[in-house]
Amino acid sequence: MTGVDLTLRGVCKQFGDHCVLRDIDMEFDEGRLICILGPSGCGKTTLLNLMAGLIRAERGELVGFSGRQVSYIFQEPRLIKWKTVRENIEFVLQEAVSREQRREIVARYLDLVGLAPFQDHYPSQLSGGMRQRVSIARAFAHPSDLLLMDEPFNSLDLDLKLSLIRSFTDLWLRDGRTTIFVTHDIQEAALLGDEIYIMTGSPAGVSRHLKVEVSRSGRSLYQDEVVALSKELFSLLTG
Amino acid sequence: MTASSIRNSLLALASVAVLALLWKLAALAVGSEIILPSPEAVVRDLAGIMLSSGFWAAVGATLIRGLASFFISCLLGLAAGLLTGFSSTAYWLAQPLLTALRSTPVMSVILLALIWFRADLVPVFVGFLMAFPIVCGNVSTGIRNVDRQLLEMARIYRVPARRILFEVQLPSMAPFLIAGLSTAMGITWRVIVAAEVLSQPGAGLGTQMQLARDYLDTTRLFALTVVILAIGFLFESLLRVAENRLQDWR
């Protein structure tokens, strides 16, 4: 976790004739949790894939991304069904960590997401929420310096979502790794972001950049500042 | 044994018993051993031929041909399936050949093989040509159906290609391979015996069947058919054991 900033300058992406992203400018400080908020289908996942190096931009440049170790939390848990919970996490650790350390790291992160007793279970033996916890533990256990998240709390009911957000926040506060998080959910953005970029339009561009001043510890949906922020985000997204 | 597996075995036994009963009733109705021998006559004949050394030589020869053909189909089918699964160029190059092999009548292949090969090699060649496209096609489909999202996950986490192959791609292809092997095994025994009937190698169950037909020995034909069914059943069961082992490995 060196102190190098990440920058996107004039990034454009198109698929065939269809332009998805236009002139995206963003700057990310190290150790921050940055949220990119925009409507479904606006190109947020494409933006993350550019940052992960899975696809290339037609124009513009991404500075500071290449060569980074990346962890990724997807919309789906993406666990290997013939591997146990422990083996799924070890799968992404083998090259970076010795065998003894692997055991210890896996045990630590599973404990932090409350799944220590389930380390020898297969994904099919877990609920949807538990599977997503495993994928969160996998992302943090991987020795990366950038964490990308693509609507990982999507398609979960509110209770589960809030409990996962709590687990995630606990882990993130201990770890503090640079995180870029895309979502269409205003509440998630308000609960998690240090900064929020709002993307609108088609092709999508950045329409606003907010710095969130609400203290991270103990942020809740009912806190006045969070309610006010949610309202502001709603009007920015719809206006 | 669990209660449900005992129940399933009893149901299978009951089905065999009903079949034997219907067979017996039909034989009584027909009243001619040459057209439809009774089950007990077939069992007696079976017991008789099992005492002769010629019978066991025939069983051995057919087994060796069947297994040789099956293993060659497995090895080449697996190799070609992996190649066509990973490379779309190889896939499209192989498609016309595989489709042609799948649609060619067994009899055409047997008759051509009779011209090209020695009598005892004809069944092995024909069995291979019938089973190979099945194994190859299934392995290829298995590789092409690997969950793209898992591959993307592994690449983002920079898991080396060798481990992605052994820990993601091959295990996810395994059920397709097993299904292919099971179908190929069933086809192999049928095709091997059919080819033996026509090619008449020195020893073989097909050779014995042709001999029985020449003498209008319908009872012997039934007895030999029961033997071939038993061989098919035995190897299907062995394959199932292998399948369970593979599940554990996955």
Side-chain angles (χ1 to χ4, degrees):
Chain A
M1 273 156 249
T2 50
V4 183
D5 290 341
L6 300 161
T7 312
L8 283 82
R9 268 192 224 113
V11 169
C12 294
K13 177 68 197 170
Q14 56 187 62
F15 294 104
D17 293 336
H18 180 58
C19 184
V20 182
L21 302 171
R22 65 170 157 87
D23 298 326
I24 304 285
D25 290 314
M26 291 179 176
E27 278 189 356
F28 309 128
D29 291 333
E30 292 286 332
R32 305 273 282 173
L33 203 166
I34 293 114
C35 179
I36 299 169
L37 176 68
S40 294
C42 80
K44 303 186 297 292
T45 300
T46 305
L47 191 58
L48 276 194
N49 288 343
L50 283 166
M51 295 182 203
L54 290 176
I55 50 174
R56 298 201 169 281
E58 269 74 37
R59 270 197 295 126
E61 56 177 346
L62 289 97
V63 181
F65 286 92
S66 73
R68 271 179 189 256
Q69 283 281 351
V70 173
S71 290
Y72 206 121
I73 304 175
F74 305 89
Q75 287 184 32
E76 329 73 25
R78 299 202 189 182
L79 301 178
I80 301 171
K81 63 182 178 195
W82 50 88
K83 286 183 181 290
T84 60
V85 165
R86 180 168 50 75
E87 289 165 344
N88 261 287
I89 300 178
E90 287 184 346
F91 179 68
V92 303
L93 293 182
Q94 274 191 33
E95 276 62 41
V97 189
S98 72
R99 182 188 289 265
E100 299 77 50
Q101 277 181 307
R102 278 206 295 274
R103 292 236 154 210
E104 190 248 302
I105 291 173
V106 172
R108 173 151 43 100
Y109 282 99
L110 281 179
D111 189 41
L112 287 170
V113 294
L115 286 178
F118 297 94
Q119 62 167 327
D120 291 320
H121 283 53
Y122 286 92
S124 60
Q125 297 170 302
L126 306 178
S127 69
M130 289 159 98
R131 286 199 278 267
Q132 195 59 309
R133 273 177 209 273
V134 177
S135 97
I136 292 174
R138 175 177 65 190
F140 278 99
H142 184 63
S144 63
D145 39 24
L146 177 63
L147 171 59
L148 302 177
M149 296 172 38
D150 186 5
E151 314 214 25
F153 311 116
N154 215 0
S155 72
L156 299 170
D157 65 52
L158 187 64
D159 271 356
L160 199 52
K161 182 196 285 192
L162 292 177
S163 125
L164 267 183
I165 288 178
R166 262 196 305 279
S167 293
F168 169 81
T169 311
D170 288 348
L171 270 176
W172 192 82
L173 285 171
R174 288 162 185 268
D175 183 283
R177 102 180 63 178
T178 313
T179 299
I180 300 168
F181 168 57
V182 306
T183 183
H184 66 267
D185 187 306
I186 290 169
Q187 290 173 337
E188 286 174 23
L191 284 175
L192 285 168
D194 285 326
E195 295 174 39
I196 301 172
Y197 282 91
I198 296 175
M199 285 176 65
T200 49
S202 176
V206 176
S207 56
R208 276 295 289 273
H209 174 208
L210 306 172
K211 293 208 188 254
V212 178
E213 304 299 343
V214 187
S215 148
R216 171 171 302 284
S217 54
R219 263 193 226 180
S220 89
L221 277 182
Y222 309 106
Q223 208 176 336
D224 290 342
E225 295 98 316
V226 173
V227 172
L229 176 61
S230 300
K231 281 185 182 159
E232 186 183 358
L233 292 174
F234 180 78
S235 68
L236 287 170
L237 262 184
T238 52
Chain B
M1 255 187 161
T2 63
S4 80
S5 73
I6 292 174
R7 179 176 166 273
N8 293 346
S9 304
L10 286 176
L11 282 174
L13 272 179
S15 157
V16 171
V18 168
L19 215 62
L21 186 66
L22 288 175
W23 179 4
K24 173 69 186 167
L25 290 175
L28 282 175
V30 171
S32 159
E33 290 281 312
I34 288 184
I35 294 178
L36 186 60
S38 63
E40 64 271 25
V42 171
V43 171
R44 262 199 309 275
D45 191 58
L46 195 57
I49 53 173
M50 283 170 107
L51 295 174
S52 75
S53 60
F55 166 76
W56 290 109
V59 170
T62 300
L63 277 180
I64 288 171
R65 282 190 200 106
L67 290 178
S69 166
F70 180 72
F71 281 119
I72 296 170
S73 310
C74 288
L75 283 179
L76 296 185
L78 183 62
L82 289 175
L83 189 68
T84 53
F86 283 116
S87 150
S88 70
T89 312
Y91 177 80
W92 289 111
L93 275 175
Q95 272 316 294
L97 178 68
L98 290 174
T99 310
L101 282 179
R102 269 194 287 263
S103 342
T104 309
V106 187
M107 278 305 149
S108 312
V109 179
I110 296 178
L111 293 173
L112 284 171
L114 280 171
I115 300 171
W116 294 337
F117 297 105
R118 283 199 335 246
D120 53 346
L121 286 184
V122 171
V124 179
F125 176 74
V126 178
F128 163 71
L129 274 198
M130 292 296 125
F132 167 80
I134 297 170
V135 178
C136 173
N138 273 42
V139 170
S140 180
T141 308
I143 291 290
R144 295 165 75 84
N145 275 295
V146 174
D147 186 345
R148 303 271 143 209
Q149 294 191 327
L150 279 186
L151 295 180
E152 192 181 71
M153 178 276 291
R155 272 199 293 272
I156 288 175
Y157 281 106
R158 298 205 187 155
V159 177
R162 178 183 50 80
R163 283 186 46 227
I164 297 180
L165 174 70
F166 283 103
E167 296 181 46
V168 180
Q169 287 165 310
L170 292 185
S172 87
M173 176 275 284
F176 290 83
L177 173 67
I178 287 287
L181 293 187
S182 177
T183 315
M185 185 81 146
I187 279 189
T188 297
W189 297 117
R190 278 182 303 203
V191 170
I192 291 281
V193 172
E196 282 179 347
V197 166
L198 286 178
S199 70
Q200 293 287 297
L205 287 169
T207 311
Q208 301 236 340
M209 288 180 94
Q210 177 66 5
L211 213 61
R213 196 201 72 114
D214 289 345
Y215 288 106
L216 277 183
D217 189 351
T218 319
T219 312
R220 179 63 51 88
L221 270 176
F222 267 84
L224 291 169
T225 306
V226 170
V227 172
I228 294 159
L229 283 177
I231 291 174
F233 180 76
L234 174 74
F235 283 96
E236 182 71 41
S237 310
L238 287 177
L239 214 59
R240 209 152 284 159
V241 173
E243 184 180 356
N244 291 338
R245 290 264 164 85
L246 202 75
Q247 286 296 6
D248 292 346
W249 167 67
R250 261 159 57 97

